[in-house]
Amino acid sequence: RAIRRVVRMVSQRIGDESTQEAEATCKRLLRRLDLGTDHTVIVILGGTGCGKSSLFNALAGMGFAEVGAVRPTTDRPAACVWGDGAEPLLEWLGLDRELWIQRDSMLEEHIKELRGLVLIDLPDIDSVAMSHRDTCQQLIPLADMLVWVTDPVKYADPSLHARYLEPMGEHEGSMVMVLNQSDTLDAADLKAVKEDLTARLKRDGMSELQVLTTSAVKGHGVDELRNLLVGATRSRTTTAKRGIVHLREVARQLEEIVGAPTKGGAGDSWVGAAQSEAIESLRRSCGGPAAVEALADGREPDKLTPPHMDHIRMMLLTWLQRALEEVPAPWGPAIGHTLASSQNISFRLTEVLPSITPTPRPGLFARLLRRGRCHRARADRFDADLRTCLETLVTRTMTAPTIAVLEDWADARATLRRIAQG
């Protein structure tokens, strides 16, 4: 929820387009948590002909056709559910009701062990049908654990490694690699292929990814894989672990958008100087120095008048230029969006400047007693009142909105770094 707060804030400050993917990920993770962790979603995926569906049936302990009256197919994902209460989760996953298999009325020991497991057989990731690939892309991020299935022929397929495995290096804790059809190799060849697969996975950034060998046809290694699924289902933390990795990925993506200090500073150290410059610019342009000089000489000053609109625009552009130099893009434009318009500042000056009037002239006795000092004191008081008025105006229309943006930036940066670093 903290990162979603940051996503919304960044979206408001610097635009929706840059944060749409992050917002969608946060919504997905929150919805997954709302559905509870009583069920663990594990998907089986791989290329054409590697035996995914056969392995799915072997893990389920039955043939799909025997129970569902629907032939096992890779056109649409099929799910086997151990236990009940998973209907909302399956609907959220978008699975067709006719392809759900529920195993909650049988007495086999492994049925009890796997209670809470939602096992899904996905279409082939290398299918020529784009709809099959799209289905995989939609369901992979929703799964709590991924069981990648390959075989002695396709285990080195570059598309498997470059398109899927290498980009998912951080998710290896929620994955297992299965080298199926191991019965087609003798012991020496199987060992060599497994070692080569392990080496390739290390190059993909998955040095800790577990590799199992199975034969769905002969049942070799199926029990070992089933025990691994039992452990993932019983832990009740599998969902959270995958979600944390997703959040860290989102945090790192947003860190690039949020940006780091351009000059290594605190980010708002320039605001005080910019405020002083803006106040002095307005003071000069509205006739403040001339009025102070007149008062110091014992003369009555001309009335203060708002500066020309072009002068106010130039002052705002100078402020924005400082912002663009001092803060990471696109936070400079975000600051520009929060500044009051030149018309607004001109209107406010028109309202407040008439209230800045000199104190009454000192009497003759005071002038004789204190000579020129009374005029200087009157001039200083007038100047102080003018500066206070202008400082209040600049603070409300420029300084405070700018600092609010910079505080949001600092908060977003700190939160994202904390999440990304775990």
Side-chain angles (χ1 to χ4, degrees):
R1 298 184 189 277
I3 196 170
R4 193 175 188 189
R5 173 183 60 80
V6 170
V7 169
R8 288 175 174 173
M9 181 270 292
V10 173
S11 176
Q12 292 173 355
R13 290 297 191 189
I14 64 178
D16 294 333
E17 292 184 2
S18 57
T19 59
Q20 284 179 347
E21 183 178 350
E23 175 70 9
T25 300
C26 290
K27 286 182 179 179
R28 184 182 74 237
L29 294 177
L30 287 174
R31 179 55 181 157
R32 177 65 185 91
L33 292 176
D34 288 341
L35 290 169
T37 57
D38 291 339
H39 295 87
T40 302
V41 179
I42 300 179
V43 299
I44 299 178
L45 65 167
T48 305
C50 65
K52 293 186 297 85
S53 297
S54 297
L55 191 60
F56 174 84
N57 285 334
L59 290 169
M62 63 185 193
F64 199 136
E66 297 176 3
V67 175
V70 178
R71 180 174 56 86
T73 175
T74 55
D75 290 339
R76 294 178 294 170
C80 184
V81 183
W82 282 260
D84 53 13
E87 288 79 5
L89 178 59
L90 292 168
E91 291 175 357
W92 176 68
L93 292 170
L95 302 184
D96 293 338
R97 183 64 183 88
E98 61 181 359
L99 294 178
W100 300 357
I101 312 168
Q102 188 166 352
R103 303 205 65 182
D104 60 351
S105 61
M106 302 184 183
L107 301 178
E108 291 93 340
E109 189 61 29
H110 77 272
I111 299 294
K112 300 177 182 177
E113 293 178 344
L114 290 172
R115 183 170 296 277
L117 170 63
V118 177
L119 187 65
I120 301 176
D121 180 23
L122 290 185
D124 302 328
I125 60 173
D126 57 356
S127 173
V128 294
M130 290 302 299
S131 59
H132 296 177
R133 298 186 186 184
D134 291 341
T135 298
C136 292
Q137 293 289 358
Q138 292 170 7
L139 284 174
I140 287 175
L142 305 182
D144 302 322
M145 183 175 179
L146 308 177
V147 178
W148 291 95
V149 181
T150 187
D151 59 42
V153 176
K154 291 190 173 184
Y155 78 92
D157 183 358
S159 64
L160 169 65
H161 293 268
R163 181 181 297 176
Y164 292 99
L165 297 178
E166 187 174 345
M168 298 184 67
E170 294 188 51
H171 292 267
E172 66 173 326
S174 301
M175 299 194 299
V176 61
M177 176 63 67
V178 175
L179 181 61
N180 195 32
Q181 299 178 0
S182 61
D183 56 303
T184 61
L185 299 175
D186 58 32
D189 289 340
L190 179 61
K191 179 181 178 182
V193 168
K194 183 177 180 181
E195 289 177 350
D196 188 36
L197 174 57
T198 301
R200 292 174 184 272
L201 292 173
K202 288 182 179 179
R203 290 196 291 271
D204 293 335
M206 300 183 181
S207 58
E208 303 296 329
L209 183 60
Q210 186 174 2
V211 178
L212 301 181
T213 58
T214 63
S215 170
V217 175
K218 296 187 176 181
H220 299 163
V222 174
D223 288 341
E224 184 181 0
L225 178 57
R226 182 182 289 113
N227 290 337
L228 189 149
L229 302 186
V230 168
T233 304
R234 284 181 174 179
S235 71
R236 295 291 188 260
T237 62
T238 306
T239 301
K241 288 179 179 178
R242 184 93 196 279
I244 289 171
V245 176
H246 280 302
L247 283 179
R248 288 176 181 168
E249 289 178 336
V250 170
R252 278 189 285 273
Q253 293 170 2
L254 286 175
E255 270 193 298
E256 296 180 3
I257 298 172
V258 169
T262 55
K263 297 182 180 180
D268 62 352
S269 58
W270 60 275
V271 177
Q275 174 176 286
S276 298
E277 292 173 5
I279 293 171
E280 186 58 28
S281 176
L282 291 175
R283 176 177 173 272
R284 290 194 306 269
S285 62
C286 70
V292 171
E293 184 178 353
L295 288 170
D297 291 341
R299 297 177 287 110
E300 289 303 307
D302 294 333
K303 290 183 178 180
L304 300 175
T305 58
H308 192 276
M309 194 70 71
D310 288 342
H311 184 92
I312 298 177
R313 292 193 186 101
M314 184 59 65
M315 179 193 66
L316 290 172
L317 286 174
T318 300
W319 185 287
L320 181 57
Q321 183 62 38
R322 291 288 297 271
L324 293 172
E325 293 174 353
E326 299 286 348
V327 302
W331 293 87
I335 289 175
H337 294 321
T338 66
L339 299 179
S341 66
S342 55
Q343 292 86 350
N344 183 286
I345 293 177
S346 179
F347 176 76
R348 294 193 183 194
L349 285 170
T350 302
E351 286 187 319
V352 300
L353 287 181
S355 66
I356 311 300
T357 57
T359 58
R361 286 176 61 89
L364 179 60
F365 179 76
R367 294 199 301 274
L368 292 174
L369 182 65
R370 301 174 59 188
R371 298 184 180 178
R373 288 183 298 170
C374 60
H375 297 306
R376 183 73 260 174
R378 188 170 180 236
D380 290 343
R381 183 175 299 177
F382 175 84
D383 195 26
D385 290 343
L386 175 60
R387 290 178 182 276
T388 299
C389 175
L390 295 177
E391 181 179 2
T392 300
L393 174 64
V394 170
T395 298
R396 291 178 178 176
T397 61
M398 301 169 68
T399 307
T402 295
I403 290 178
V405 173
L406 294 175
E407 287 176 345
D408 282 347
W409 166 63
D411 176 41
R413 185 165 176 265
T415 301
L416 294 174
R417 292 185 70 181
R418 185 173 65 252
I419 293 173
Q421 295 172 2

